[in-house]
Amino acid sequence: MKPFLLASLLCCAINARANTFYISAAGNDAGNGLSASAAWKTIAKVNSMNFAQGDVILFNSGDTFYGTLTTKVNGITFGAYGSGAKPVISGLTTISSWTSLGGNIWEASVPGGLSTLNMVLINGVLTPMGRYPNQNTPNGGYLTYESFVLDKSLTDNQLSSTPNFTGGEVVFRRMDYTMDRAKITSHSGNTINFSTYSGPSMTT
């Protein structure tokens, strides 16, 4: 009976340490998170904490939270508090502080940086990622290049130096039934240089 009693006491001790933490879009990460009035604000705050088994993490109903949960302890319960729609945890990032580059071209930094961008929503509506030329322009949205350097660059007289496409991706067709893509390493005048070409070597 003694081993059983000892195990029971340990279980009670673990349960006694459990806490409930609150997360709200109107919260403050400087709070202790232990009540709705002292709720944390971000998933980043949750990820930075050391939780114990049995802890409960509750997100405010009707709110949206951005990021990925990466808690380090098993045995944590996630749930919701308050009334309304279920809270949403989204991998999307809200981008603000846009700067006009002219010609209706805008630029903004992405918080935390992104290695890959594969989805854009504007006012909650899924929007095709930017491209040049637009798909509805003549020739199906493709320019016709005048010259190239084998597997390194393309030159097109219709391509201007603004905007600068460095860091973007070029998609090109060497023939009707192929489509290749490469990372743009630099852009000067009407010439773009690229690397990591995905297709076979270009030939003259």
Side-chain angles (χ1 to χ4, degrees):
M1 292 297 293
K2 288 184 179 180
F4 176 77
L5 178 61
L6 179 60
S8 298
L9 291 174
L10 286 174
C11 182
C12 291
I14 292 173
N15 288 337
R17 292 178 52 209
N19 290 302
T20 298
F21 298 92
Y22 298 81
I23 324 295
S24 168
N28 188 330
D29 286 344
N32 61 22
L34 292 174
S35 66
S37 60
W40 292 327
K41 182 179 180 67
T42 66
I43 286 180
K45 177 65 176 181
V46 176
N47 292 339
S48 71
M49 301 301 295
N50 293 317
F51 296 103
Q53 288 188 355
D55 282 349
V56 178
I57 302 174
L58 301 179
F59 293 87
N60 189 36
S61 296
D63 286 350
T64 298
F65 304 90
Y66 297 97
T68 302
L69 285 168
T70 57
T71 54
K72 308 173 185 65
V73 178
N74 294 324
I76 296 175
T77 300
F78 295 93
Y81 73 96
S83 58
K86 293 180 180 179
V88 174
I89 296 177
S90 172
L92 295 171
T93 298
T94 299
I95 303 175
S96 57
S97 301
W98 291 89
T99 301
S100 174
L101 301 181
N104 201 28
I105 298 173
W106 297 78
E107 179 182 69
S109 298
V110 178
L114 287 177
S115 58
T116 301
L117 177 66
N118 55 22
M119 182 182 296
V120 174
L121 277 72
I122 298 178
N123 296 326
V125 178
L126 183 62
T127 304
M129 294 178 65
R131 58 167 286 167
Y132 174 83
N134 290 333
Q135 197 167 7
N136 59 355
T137 56
N139 198 28
Y142 282 87
L143 301 176
T144 301
Y145 62 84
E146 277 68 46
S147 63
F148 66 86
V149 176
L150 189 63
D151 294 346
K152 292 183 178 180
S153 69
L154 293 169
T155 298
D156 190 314
N157 293 337
Q158 296 172 270
L159 191 64
S160 67
S161 58
T162 304
N164 190 296
F165 289 114
T166 301
E169 189 176 62
V170 57
V171 178
F172 54 94
R173 304 176 81 163
R174 296 177 296 114
M175 53 194 72
D176 289 341
Y177 51 87
T178 65
M179 183 176 291
D180 303 304
R181 56 201 302 171
K183 184 80 170 180
I184 300 174
T185 56
S186 64
H187 176 188
S188 177
N190 56 11
T191 297
I192 52 175
N193 301 293
F194 56 84
S195 64
T196 61
Y197 168 51
S198 66
S201 294
M202 298 171 66
T203 56
T204 56

